[in-house]
Amino acid sequence: MADDVGTLLAARFLCGLSTGVFTATATAALGELAGAKHTRRVSTVSTAANMGGLGLGTVVAGLFAQYGANPTHLVFWAYLVSLAPALLAVIVTPETVTAPQRPAVSVRRPTVPDRQAARTEFLRAAVLAAFAVSGLFSSLVPSFLREQLHVHNAAAVGSEVGLLFIVALIAQVAAPGRWISGRWPAPAFLVAGVAVFETGLWTRSLPTFAAGTLLAGTGIGLAFRRGVGVAQRLADTRRRSGLLSTYFLFAYTGTIVPTLALGLLDQTINQDVATLILAVGVVATTLAGALSRPTTATT
């Protein structure tokens, strides 16, 4: 119902607040409901829900915007209706906390494991998620398709953005276990994806850009599933949502920073150069994390 930018920003703030509150809590609840024996299943379901929602949302929004009446409003009404079964699911889901405390609003510092070896393992997974190129890609695709390739169909733009997350979803479900637990598969796919879609950007080739999307999406799926699994395994069972909140804090930061940086750089330099600078930063950080030596310290 927003009819001005201020109201829209307030709505976006509330949506972001609810997402931040819900995502880590829901992931922690899944782990508690499933039990310690099903950690792998929990990481698959939770990351599939996140990536599936991101991919499906952009595709459906593009279809509504292109072919529906009142494109800037109808998609939100449809989304509001879809929240009804989600609310019902929350109501009927059993409580996992045995000694609930009274609700209180407080600001807490990010949580990390106490042991050095566990902290290193967690931070490596979290940093990889932060630099998983989803923010760079999501902010780049619409302008690239419109300005460089002259694609003005909103459904096509939404589908291209959604493709990244749909591929990530498929990778989480279908990838061999050694790809998920291994140290190199996720960084390798991410670096290859960035290199290929940057090539597509500079050569103005949509097929090359789409191929980079497939590679990067695979890397994102592997990185997120491994990261959630690591966080679930290392979390204190009494404060599970705290460590998961820190993990998603890294992931959301990785989505936000490239988007803002690309917008700022676009004001002063060519978009191709701006994207290349960010891509080099993403690749360098990803490789640095993958090449860092694991520690065996336990204090």
Side-chain angles (χ1 to χ4, degrees):
M1 295 180 289
D3 56 4
D4 59 79
V5 175
T7 306
L8 183 62
L9 289 176
R12 296 290 286 174
F13 174 83
L14 292 174
C15 287
L17 182 64
S18 65
T19 300
V21 169
F22 183 80
T23 304
T25 307
T27 306
L30 279 175
E32 293 165 353
L33 289 168
K37 295 181 179 180
H38 302 289
T39 301
R40 179 173 296 182
R41 182 184 301 175
V42 170
S43 64
T44 301
V45 172
S46 59
T47 51
N50 278 284
M51 293 298 171
L54 288 168
L56 185 62
T58 54
V59 172
V60 172
L63 291 172
F64 270 91
Q66 183 64 37
Y67 304 112
N70 201 4
T72 59
H73 291 79
L74 180 61
V75 64
F76 293 106
W77 288 111
Y79 180 62
L80 189 62
V81 171
S82 72
L83 288 177
L87 177 61
L88 178 61
V90 171
I91 293 173
V92 302
T93 299
E95 178 59 73
T96 60
V97 178
T98 55
Q101 300 177 345
R102 294 182 59 185
V105 178
S106 62
V107 178
R108 295 186 298 173
R109 292 181 299 174
T111 302
V112 294
D114 294 329
R115 294 185 299 111
Q116 180 64 40
R119 187 184 308 132
T120 301
E121 182 182 7
F122 171 76
L123 290 176
R124 183 183 291 117
V127 169
L128 182 61
F131 287 89
V133 308
S134 55
L136 173 62
F137 186 88
S138 300
S139 59
L140 174 65
V141 168
S143 61
F144 171 62
L145 293 180
R146 284 195 306 267
E147 296 171 14
Q148 271 75 32
L149 299 181
H150 308 291
V151 176
H152 300 288
N153 185 294
V157 175
S159 297
E160 178 66 18
V161 177
L163 178 63
L164 181 83
F165 299 107
I166 292 172
V167 171
L169 169 60
I170 295 172
Q172 292 163 17
V173 176
R178 64 181 182 274
W179 283 20
I180 297 168
S181 59
R183 184 177 177 182
W184 279 103
F189 275 104
L190 287 172
V191 171
V194 171
V196 173
F197 77 61
E198 271 296 310
T199 302
L201 176 67
W202 282 83
T203 60
R204 304 295 188 258
S205 170
L206 183 58
T208 305
F209 193 87
T213 302
L214 297 177
L215 291 169
T218 301
I220 290 173
L222 297 176
F224 270 77
R225 180 174 168 184
R226 184 173 187 273
V228 171
V230 168
Q232 288 277 12
R233 174 166 52 83
L234 297 179
D236 185 334
T237 55
R238 297 167 299 175
R239 296 184 292 272
R240 189 185 302 270
S241 63
L243 191 62
L244 285 163
S245 295
T246 303
Y247 177 76
F248 282 108
L249 176 64
F250 274 88
Y252 289 141
T253 300
T255 302
I256 295 167
V257 171
T259 304
L260 295 177
L262 187 61
L264 293 172
L265 290 173
D266 267 351
Q267 306 302 312
T268 56
I269 59 178
N270 178 273
Q271 185 186 70
D272 291 349
V273 178
T275 306
L276 181 61
I277 292 172
L278 292 175
V280 169
V282 168
V283 168
T285 307
T286 300
L287 290 177
L291 291 170
S292 62
R293 293 182 178 180
T295 179
T296 57
T298 57
T299 57

